[in-house]
Each structure stands twice: as C-alpha cells, then as structure tokens.
Amino acid sequence: MLQLLRLVLLLKTCFLLFPLILTAQAKQIKFSVIPLGVKGGSDESNLSAYLVAAGGSNQFICMDAGTLHSGIRKAIGKGSLKGEISDILQKNISGYFISHPHLDHLAGMIINSPDDSNKPIYGLPFCLNIIKEKYFSWKSWANFGDAGEEPRLKKYHYAEMAAGHTEKIENAGLHVTPYLLSHSSPYLSTAFLVSHGNSQILYLGDTGADEVEKSQQLSQLWKTIAPLIKQHSLKAIFIEVSFANDQKKELLFGHLTPDLLMQEMNNLAGFAGTENMKNLNIVITHQKPGANREIKIPEELRAANNLQLNLIFPEQGVTLNF
C-alpha cells in the first residue's frame, strides 16, 4: 500500500512538473527556422528560402523566396509545418525579405503570387526597384505590387527599408535590420539581422569576400555584430558557400568558398574575440550543385575550422531551433 502511495505521488509530481519542463524548453528556443530551400543552383524545387519565427510562434517571415510551394510541401512531410500548403502560404507567412533580385532568391514568390495573400515585400531600394520594374510588370508577369505599371493588383506592398534602420514586424514579434553586401561588385545584396527580445540571428544573402570584392561591406557588418557575439546573444549566422576551393577567383561572381568564408570568420574574430567564436552556429547556405561540391564544401570547411565554429548544413524542410 505504501509503495502504491509513493507511486501515485511520483506520478502526480511528474504530471505537475511536465508543463513546467515544456515551458522552460520553449523559453530556451529563441528562433525556429524552417529551410524551404537551401541550394543555390539548378534545382528549382530547392532554392534559397528560410522561414523564421520567434520561438513558440507559427507566424513566420521569409528570408528570400526562391522556393515556396515545394519547400512548404517538404516541410509538411518532415513534420516541421502542419496544415495545407495554401493555408500556410496565405496565413503563416507575414512577409518576404528579399536580399537581392536574382531569380534563385525570389522565383518562388513570383510563381506563387496568384495564390498568395496580401503582404509586404521588404527590401532595400536597389532590390525592390528591380522587382517592381522587371518582374511585377505586365511585360513579364502580372503586376501584383502596389507600385509600377498600371493596373496594379496591390496584393504586395513594397516596404522599402534603409540600411542600418530597424523595422518592427508586428504580427511576427520580430525586428529586422538590413545591411548592404557586395555581390560581384558593383552589384549589391543584403544581410538581415533578425531580433527577438535580446536575441538575434543574422541572415546573409549572396556575398563575396571583401578581398575579392574590393569592398568593406563584410568588415563593417562584422564590426556591427561583434558586440552581439561577445554578449552571446547572436544565436546563428546564415552565410553562403557556393563553390569549393578549386573555383578560380575570377569565376566566383560574388560568392564564397570554404577558404574565403574562414578568412571572413577570422576577420570577425578579430572584432569579437577568438574565444567568443567557439561553438557559434554557422549555417552554410547556397551550395551550388555539381562538380562534387556537396561533398567537397563540407570537407573543406571542417578541415579549415580553426575557430571551432559549429558548422550546420541545413536540410530542406527540417527545422533548426536556436
């Protein structure tokens, strides 16, 4: 009888503690990121697009939008999203943040625009102007924007951002700050710093190394985020490595190799402190298929990882929690 009472008390304690344990775990997750597309090449069903939500929320913003429909379907199959593809597209994505106007970063948004709901497209002026003038014009596609050629269907609002200025995304509970990148100079790209409370993640669109681009864009970005790394509030950096080390520099076209990434990470360590870089989550995006790169790039990155970064290779549809 005594043993039975002890068992009942134990079960009651577990029952009472279980919600507290779940709550504590939920509080520890600052961001959930669902990759809808992770590649940078010829597979149109798996191109750069990352859903980002505050921990515990199902209201996302989308960092780039190369692939949407196929990525949402994959995420449902992996258990990362629940519901119908159309409902998730229309109800759970609050807006798009487009780093630069190359098709592998926005084709999904364009193709899915007839079935989408009203929402903003965020970006720096150089990017939004090209979307407005070259894509959502009646010469190439219906104008789903609220500016540009008439008639304007006004499904999407062009939400112009300014480098270094923060936008509050009300229904997602997030703040986003854009920074300029160089992508095959003089062409530009964007990095987005996403903040939730006192935590951040950094998503970079395509970018070349400062040495190759003859610019200081990455150096300026590293100076900006270094204090966040020192505070251990920056939970992850999403950054591209498109080519293996055997790619000639004149054929990089504004992209990184493993050696160039590690060179930039060491530059970042110069501002943030080498001791603070250990175990920093670095999510490798935009690997271009072909030439055995999907094997060579991870191998070369691991071999050069003198800073002991936590290298993450995202899989389409599989949630990353930070």
Side-chain angles (χ1 to χ4, degrees):
M1 185 66 180
L2 185 58
Q3 288 181 334
L4 182 60
L5 284 171
R6 284 175 178 167
L7 180 60
V8 170
L9 284 171
L10 179 63
L11 289 173
K12 274 187 175 180
T13 303
C14 291
F15 180 76
L16 290 170
L17 287 177
F18 187 62
L20 297 176
I21 293 168
L22 289 179
T23 302
Q25 289 176 338
K27 284 181 180 177
Q28 290 171 1
I29 297 173
K30 301 299 184 181
F31 298 97
S32 291
V33 181
I34 303 175
L36 300 185
V38 302
K39 302 298 182 186
S42 54
D43 182 357
E44 68 272 15
S45 71
N46 193 3
L47 299 172
S48 295
Y50 295 82
L51 295 183
V52 178
S57 172
N58 66 350
Q59 201 61 41
F60 297 91
I61 58 175
C62 196
M63 300 286 108
D64 283 328
T67 292
L68 290 180
H69 190 278
S70 297
I72 293 171
R73 182 174 65 236
K74 179 74 74 170
I76 292 170
K78 296 283 186 178
S80 296
L81 290 170
K82 298 187 187 306
E84 299 294 325
I85 295 174
S86 59
D87 285 342
I88 292 166
L89 177 69
Q90 293 172 10
K91 298 174 183 177
N92 295 103
I93 300 178
S94 299
Y96 303 106
F97 288 79
I98 307 300
S99 66
H100 64 292
H102 287 170
L103 279 169
D104 57 331
H105 292 258
L106 52 73
M109 180 184 73
I110 294 169
I111 294 296
N112 284 276
S113 55
D115 299 319
D116 207 348
S117 57
N118 290 25
K119 61 192 59 164
I121 303 172
Y122 295 90
L124 293 174
F126 80 89
C127 180
L128 295 186
N129 287 340
I130 292 174
I131 296 172
K132 188 189 311 176
E133 295 166 8
K134 303 299 182 184
Y135 296 118
F136 286 137
S137 73
W138 291 95
K139 297 181 184 70
S140 59
W141 196 257
N143 183 8
F144 284 95
D146 60 357
E149 289 184 7
E150 296 280 7
R152 299 165 185 163
L153 302 180
K154 300 182 181 180
K155 178 171 285 188
Y156 294 134
H157 167 62
Y158 292 109
E160 189 172 293
M161 306 181 81
H165 292 268
T166 301
E167 293 281 345
K168 185 177 182 180
I169 316 304
E170 292 281 358
N171 56 344
L174 301 169
H175 293 77
V176 184
T177 311
Y179 298 93
L180 276 171
L181 299 173
S182 182
H183 181 32
S184 192
S185 184
Y187 302 108
L188 299 171
S189 182
T190 314
F192 296 107
L193 183 68
V194 184
S195 301
H196 172 52
N198 295 321
S199 300
Q200 308 84 25
I201 60 172
L202 178 68
Y203 172 85
L204 288 82
D206 293 355
T207 183
D210 280 352
E211 173 198 326
V212 178
E213 297 289 304
K214 310 301 180 190
S215 84
Q216 292 295 308
Q217 303 287 18
L218 282 176
S219 181
Q220 291 169 11
L221 180 62
W222 301 152
K223 287 179 186 177
T224 299
I225 68 165
L228 307 178
I229 294 174
K230 290 178 181 179
Q231 297 161 15
H232 301 287
S233 65
L234 184 69
K235 302 305 178 184
I237 297 175
F238 289 68
I239 188 166
E240 68 123 288
V241 178
S242 296
F243 296 106
N245 288 328
D246 57 8
Q247 187 82 357
K248 294 179 179 178
K249 285 188 177 180
E250 61 269 24
L251 297 177
L252 286 174
F253 305 113
H255 295 293
L256 294 174
T257 64
D259 280 351
L260 288 171
L261 173 66
M262 289 305 173
Q263 179 180 304
E264 289 295 341
M265 290 295 99
N266 278 283
N267 291 343
L268 173 56
F271 298 113
T274 301
E275 68 281 5
N276 295 315
M277 298 291 288
K278 185 177 180 180
N279 295 321
L280 179 63
N281 294 313
I282 305 295
V283 183
I284 305 303
T285 67
H286 206 266
Q287 293 181 68
K288 288 183 175 289
N292 212 28
R293 293 188 195 103
E294 291 172 87
I295 294 174
K296 290 164 70 175
I297 288 173
E299 287 178 348
E300 291 172 353
L301 283 169
R302 292 183 180 113
N305 188 15
N306 64 302
L307 293 170
Q308 300 181 63
L309 305 164
N310 183 33
L311 300 172
I312 298 171
F313 301 90
E315 181 183 344
Q316 186 183 31
V318 177
T319 301
L320 299 170
N321 289 318
F322 301 103

